[in-house]
Amino acid sequence: MFTDLQFLLPVIIPGMACVAILLLSALTQARGLALVLALASLAAAAAWTVAWTEPRSLFSDMLHLDPFARLGALICLGVGGVACCAAPAYLRRMNIGYEEEYYALILAGVAGMIVMIAANDLMVLFVNLELMSLATYIMCGMNRGSLIYPDQEFVYDR
């Protein structure tokens, strides 16, 4: 069982970093720490993904860690890192004040994508598709003050 969990570290590390970022944002006012923690967790997960050398099945054949899953996980982690690096400028330009939550949602989406790529069971695929899509939906709705139509003014009542 422990050997199965060590091969899931590329999913566990971003998941734990997501929870840590949310706790830090609730308890402290450290703004730049969330970006550093997100990038460090993505780099650590990528290092563990590179350690997947031989194909194996986990959890009664529900997950397959093969070269395809390895490549897909590295692509997802790389895209998550690029999104984290591009986020500060975008969030400042669009005047979105939820920077820490944005990084936590990126990490949750990346964790869902990695398991979804390695899924060999339909239920595992569906649950992680929901995790990834829920994080994506929330990120799409974070810019509440954006204009829906360019010729109409957006009114937001608090």
Side-chain angles (χ1 to χ4, degrees):
M1 182 68 169
F2 179 71
T3 58
D4 289 353
L5 289 179
Q6 85 180 16
F7 286 102
L8 281 182
L9 279 175
V11 177
I12 294 171
I13 292 171
M16 296 299 285
C18 172
V19 172
I21 288 172
L22 289 175
L23 284 174
L24 285 174
S25 71
L27 300 175
T28 65
Q29 296 294 329
R31 285 289 202 206
L33 188 61
L35 175 61
V36 172
L37 185 59
L39 289 175
S41 69
L42 290 172
W48 274 99
T49 304
V50 171
W52 292 347
T53 55
E54 58 191 42
R56 70 175 54 237
S57 296
L58 303 176
F59 302 113
S60 300
D61 229 16
M62 292 195 333
L63 293 174
H64 276 293
L65 302 180
D66 53 0
F68 175 74
R70 181 181 179 186
L71 177 66
L74 288 173
I75 289 172
C76 290
L77 290 166
V79 169
V82 169
C84 284
C85 289
Y90 171 76
L91 294 174
R92 265 194 311 274
R93 188 176 70 237
M94 298 307 257
N95 199 18
I96 300 173
Y98 305 109
E99 187 172 343
E100 293 87 4
E101 289 84 358
Y102 187 82
Y103 299 129
L105 288 168
I106 286 176
L107 292 175
V110 166
M113 284 184 236
I114 292 172
V115 178
M116 190 171 62
I117 289 170
N120 193 36
D121 187 32
L122 187 60
M123 189 57 79
V124 174
L125 179 81
F126 179 72
V127 167
N128 287 286
L129 176 69
E130 289 297 321
L131 174 64
M132 181 205 60
S133 62
L134 187 63
T136 307
Y137 296 153
I138 294 171
M139 280 190 288
C140 288
M142 286 180 86
N143 193 2
R144 297 170 74 176
S146 68
L147 294 176
I148 296 173
Y149 299 104
D151 57 343
Q152 295 179 353
E153 190 171 322
F154 181 77
V155 177
Y156 173 67
D157 296 328
R158 278 200 171 195

